Amino acid sequence: LMGDLQVRKNLLEDPFVFSGIREYTYGDAMRRVNWKASARTGALMVNQYQYSSDQCIKILLNMEPYSMDRPEGLQEESISLASELCGRYLQENVPVMFESNALDKVSKTLSAVEQGSSIEHQRTINRCLARIDGYAGYDKFIEILERAILAKEKNVSYVIISPYCREDLLEKIDYLQEQDIPVRMIVPYYNKYGFSASRDYIYEWQVKYNGA
């Protein structure tokens, strides 16, 4: 997932916003070489540019269960994954947003956190995750995806965490991809049942089944 983000950032580099010169490193394009600076220093130097917009990760958590066999186990694992991913991205100074069809037991509204990139932002997201108490249903998550489709934010990459992975949901995510909206999906599943990803954007996440 971090590799996908880095590729995306490279695609967003703006060649019109100059930010400095540095020494050439393996993989730099020759079109970026600054020949005057190279002649002056005696080393191959390249131009650096700023990014046209900051890349942001939006984590979407779907609490809809795939089956009724101990769904709380996969839901808890999904919440933990959301926290872990937020922390990883924030460590890389990548802004993170969060949205879910989970219900906040304090506000009684859907769980959501606006964009941020500070250490305090991690605490805000974890507080939001800790207050999850039930969920508003599958239709609410579909509404979240439909808003993402309409927004078409090119600087946002989506990471969907969802134990539910039936075809009706995947068709919505397919449409996100068709609109060139970067999206990846993590599917927690019990090892007792197994799982085979049917899309190249799906990452499998095996969870030990502790039921009777």
Side-chain angles (χ1 to χ4, degrees):
L1 292 172
M2 292 303 299
D4 289 344
L5 174 66
Q6 188 60 47
V7 169
R8 182 70 180 163
K9 286 180 68 175
N10 290 339
L11 292 174
L12 289 171
E13 189 178 61
D14 190 339
F16 300 106
V17 185
F18 179 76
S19 64
I21 299 172
R22 62 169 173 78
E23 193 167 348
Y24 173 90
T25 58
Y26 178 77
D28 286 333
M30 293 305 294
R31 61 183 171 79
R32 295 177 57 176
V33 172
N34 186 315
W35 297 107
K36 289 184 179 180
S38 299
R40 186 170 60 252
T41 62
L44 199 59
M45 308 296 290
V46 295
N47 295 324
Q48 293 187 94
Y49 302 95
Q50 295 177 6
Y51 293 106
S52 56
S53 58
D54 290 330
Q55 182 69 3
C56 177
I57 293 293
K58 188 164 191 176
I59 294 176
L60 303 181
L61 173 62
N62 181 20
M63 294 289 286
E64 181 75 15
Y66 187 77
S67 75
M68 296 312 295
D69 185 3
R70 299 183 64 82
E72 67 281 355
L74 295 182
Q75 290 170 334
E76 286 292 330
E77 187 71 15
S78 298
I79 293 169
S80 296
L81 275 170
S83 175
E84 178 70 15
L85 277 176
C86 288
R88 293 286 184 94
Y89 284 119
L90 290 171
Q91 285 176 11
E92 297 293 329
N93 298 314
V94 178
V96 174
M97 293 184 283
F98 171 77
E99 193 169 2
S100 175
N101 61 348
L103 290 171
D104 187 304
K105 66 182 178 182
V106 177
S107 66
K108 308 301 182 184
T109 59
L110 295 182
S111 300
V113 179
E114 294 298 323
Q115 179 176 324
S117 57
S118 66
I119 294 175
E120 180 58 34
H121 193 60
Q122 172 75 74
R123 299 190 187 102
T124 300
I125 290 174
N126 283 341
R127 281 195 297 270
C128 177
L129 293 170
R131 294 205 304 254
I132 288 177
D133 183 25
Y135 62 100
Y138 174 73
D139 289 344
K140 290 297 182 183
F141 191 75
I142 291 299
E143 289 176 12
I144 292 171
L145 291 180
E146 288 175 344
R147 287 198 298 272
I149 291 170
L150 289 173
K152 294 183 179 180
E153 298 172 293
K154 296 300 183 181
N155 66 322
V156 176
S157 291
Y158 291 88
V159 178
I160 298 169
I161 303 173
S162 174
Y164 184 96
C165 57
R166 297 187 192 279
E167 194 67 20
D168 53 349
L169 175 60
L170 297 182
E171 286 175 0
K172 285 287 184 183
I173 301 173
D174 289 344
Y175 191 74
L176 279 170
Q177 280 217 321
E178 290 167 8
Q179 299 299 307
D180 293 324
I181 299 171
V183 59
R184 293 292 182 266
M185 181 181 187
I186 301 175
V187 178
Y189 68 96
Y190 284 130
N191 59 342
K192 174 183 176 179
Y193 297 108
F195 176 75
S196 180
S198 59
R199 304 291 199 277
D200 59 5
Y201 55 73
I202 293 177
Y203 292 77
E204 303 170 14
W205 189 268
Q206 188 179 99
V207 180
K208 185 177 180 180
Y209 184 82
N210 291 319

